[in-house]
Amino acid sequence: MPNIQGNRTLTEWLALLLGVVILLVGLFFLIAGADLAMLGGSTYYALCGIILIASGVFMLMGRTLGAFLYLGALAYTWVWSLWEVGFSPVDLLPRAFGPTILGILVALTIPVLRRMESRRTLRGAV
């Protein structure tokens, strides 16, 4: 894979971009979710926002932990969605479709993040 700038490949830049997207979604979830929780609504969004922020930060650091945190949040999303609406496809679609699409992209970044981690370890950084 050709280098675009410095030592980063296109796939590494795309993985970092995905980390930024997840971080921004997490910030939105945390802020809006905290408002919702204060009004007596579900705490799902605030809790998921915290996990997504951590996921995005770790992905920006080039760590696979970020991907696994996101996949954990995705599992939490599916459990929450099924608990809230059951197996109704019409009701599950808005709750789980977007996070699942992002989850597929995150799963595809795991090899890239592993390569970034191993390269950082070889250079002596922790």
Side-chain angles (χ1 to χ4, degrees):
M1 179 71 45
N3 285 340
I4 291 180
Q5 180 180 2
N7 293 334
R8 300 234 188 259
T9 63
L10 176 61
T11 54
E12 290 171 344
W13 282 111
L14 292 174
L16 294 174
L17 177 63
L18 183 59
V20 169
V21 168
I22 291 170
L23 176 63
L24 293 175
V25 170
L27 286 170
F28 176 76
F29 269 37
L30 179 60
I31 293 166
D35 283 344
L36 180 64
M38 285 190 279
L39 294 171
S42 174
T43 58
Y44 159 79
Y45 295 100
L47 293 173
C48 196
I50 293 167
I51 297 168
L52 292 180
I53 290 169
S55 171
V57 168
F58 279 114
M59 286 182 71
L60 287 172
M61 293 170 61
R63 298 191 178 253
T64 55
L65 177 60
F68 292 118
L69 280 172
Y70 184 87
L71 295 175
L74 178 60
Y76 173 54
T77 297
W78 271 97
V79 168
W80 170 77
S81 297
L82 290 170
W83 174 76
E84 190 171 70
V85 299
F87 289 96
S88 169
V90 172
D91 295 324
L92 280 174
L93 186 66
R95 288 169 176 81
F97 182 73
T100 302
I101 295 299
L102 277 178
I104 292 168
L105 295 175
V106 166
L108 292 173
T109 67
I110 291 173
V112 176
L113 294 171
R114 282 195 176 142
R115 185 174 58 238
M116 291 169 72
E117 274 183 329
S118 67
R119 192 170 51 234
R120 186 178 57 249
T121 303
L122 290 175
R123 280 187 281 162
V126 179

